[in-house]
Amino acid sequence: MAVEGRPARPLRVWGANWAAVVYKRRMRSLQGKVVLITGASSGFGRATAFAFAAEGARLLLCARRLELLREMEAPLLEAGAEAVLSFRLDVRDRAAVSAAIAGLPEEWAAIDILVNNAGLSRGLTKLYEDDPKDWDEMIDTNVKGLLAMTRAVVPGMVARGAGHVINLGSTAGHLTYANGAVYCATKAAEKAISEGLKIDLMGTAVRVTSIDPGMVETEFSQVRFHGDEERAAKFYEGVTPLTPEDVADAILWAATRPAHVNIHTIVLTTIDQANSTVVHRRSVS
Ligand code: NDP
Ligand code: 8X3
């Protein structure tokens, strides 16, 4: 059927197979790319390391539990990583962050992708009854740690004319829930920082993405409840939460778009969740 103003046939006619090849070619290859992942010892960070390993990336992994990172090295190489370098880092220590990035061996110094993933929630109580130590830990890690990493890594990306910063936000940063004011505030800050960084990087080729998941079952809940496993498990009762691999998939997808495409935000939740306050719990016997 003719439609006014439109050509009768697509400008290019591809066979189905050829279209698939073209689509694949549009994906950015991660082979040999240097990918720095913070908080790689668990959850999303760990799953993301394996997702990037399968694409042949060179992995720079950091967290405080170096022994867990070391245990991942051989399986990551087996999964396809071109090389892996792990180091202990507490992102709350700004001087240590600067020194770690400045001191990277030459073959690791040109970071292509920074995944600012390290983070945590502590406590789920009314703000006026919270332990202020929990506020410090969340703000120092989720906000100031992310800033320290960004400040240390992004100037090199700007100078090289290439790079991608992928920050872990949350549905908690879009809508505040009861008893979570400070954690939600840190993720709202992450959202503002990602938006601001993108604006400040205008005119450069550096991309910025915020990945904003809802409920995902990792060590996150155990950390939130200070090791209370029963309370942690109850948080996901009657819900099929996302898995760390679901989140790693979203990160990988954002990272493999063509160089001229900037994915700003990906919000992903389980089918049982509409936003950070509306969750459908199936009856449990
Ligand atoms: P996990 O607890 O499984 O992993 C958190 C990671 O962060 C660990 O590797 C931990 O390593 C690291 N980490 C924590 N504090 C520091 C620190 N001071 N310095 C360096 N590394 C640190 O949690 P998730 O994988 O679930 O969470 C990852 C990110 O995703 C966080 O930013 C979280 O806020 C966010 N998020 C989580 C959701 C969820 O439902 N699970 C949903 C939405 C967002 P180590 O202890 O070895 O230092
Ligand atoms: C974590 C998601 O809803 O558990 O960012 O706070 S939630």
Side-chain angles (χ1 to χ4, degrees):
M1 189 184 80
V3 176
E4 195 192 339
R6 287 199 182 275
R9 291 158 59 90
L11 291 179
R12 290 181 195 149
V13 183
W14 307 103
N17 288 345
W18 184 234
V21 170
V22 170
Y23 177 77
K24 186 86 186 152
R25 285 224 183 110
R26 273 170 51 86
M27 286 176 56
R28 265 168 86 81
S29 167
L30 296 175
Q31 186 70 47
K33 297 281 181 209
V34 178
V35 181
L36 169 54
I37 304 172
T38 68
S41 61
S42 170
F44 307 172
R46 183 186 159 87
T48 302
F50 278 93
F52 280 93
E55 300 295 322
R58 294 162 56 78
L59 298 170
L60 269 173
L61 307 180
C62 61
R64 293 164 301 176
R65 291 170 296 173
L66 182 60
E67 63 289 358
L68 294 184
L69 299 177
R70 289 269 154 80
E71 282 170 19
M72 291 164 60
E73 288 181 1
L76 284 166
L77 290 169
E78 220 168 284
E82 199 175 281
V84 185
L85 181 67
S86 311
F87 56 100
R88 175 176 288 122
L89 184 66
D90 185 332
V91 296
R92 293 172 297 180
D93 183 342
R94 197 184 301 145
V97 167
S98 305
I101 301 305
L104 285 172
E106 206 185 320
E107 65 276 22
W108 288 96
I111 296 166
D112 295 293
I113 300 173
L114 166 64
V115 184
N116 268 322
N117 164 74
L120 79 172
S121 175
R122 283 289 196 198
L124 194 65
T125 46
K126 290 185 190 297
L127 178 69
Y128 60 85
E129 293 169 352
D130 266 350
D131 180 345
K133 284 209 265 334
D134 288 347
W135 302 343
D136 289 341
E137 202 177 353
M138 289 187 277
I139 293 167
D140 289 350
T141 311
N142 302 0
V143 182
K144 292 166 81 177
L146 181 144
L147 287 170
M149 291 301 305
T150 303
R151 183 67 184 83
V153 172
V154 172
M157 292 179 167
V158 172
R160 290 187 297 277
H164 194 166
V165 180
I166 302 180
N167 294 330
L168 263 297
S170 169
T171 49
H174 295 249
L175 183 62
T176 307
Y177 51 77
N179 301 319
V182 176
Y183 178 70
C184 292
T186 67
K187 291 302 177 180
E190 178 281 335
K191 184 170 178 288
I193 290 165
S194 298
E195 289 166 1
L197 180 63
K198 175 65 196 162
I199 295 167
D200 293 345
L201 284 167
M202 285 287 91
T204 79
V206 182
R207 308 191 288 180
V208 182
T209 300
S210 181
I211 304 286
D212 300 356
M215 298 162 83
V216 192
E217 196 162 10
T218 61
E219 288 177 7
F220 179 84
S221 243
Q222 290 181 36
V223 172
R224 163 178 270 168
F225 297 121
H226 294 278
D228 182 339
E229 289 186 15
E230 209 180 314
R231 227 181 138 197
K234 217 170 164 47
F235 192 75
Y236 303 106
E237 207 169 70
V239 174
T240 306
L242 292 179
T243 67
E245 288 72 26
D246 295 326
V247 178
D249 249 5
I251 294 172
L252 190 64
W253 183 80
T256 50
R257 293 313 87 209
H260 70 284
V261 178
N262 191 111
I263 303 297
H264 291 251
T265 308
I266 298 178
V267 180
L268 65 157
T269 67
T270 159
I271 195 78
D272 294 323
Q273 184 170 22
N275 57 39
S276 68
T277 64
V278 178
V279 176
H280 176 71
R281 294 188 190 268
R282 291 157 206 281
S283 58
V284 276
S285 50

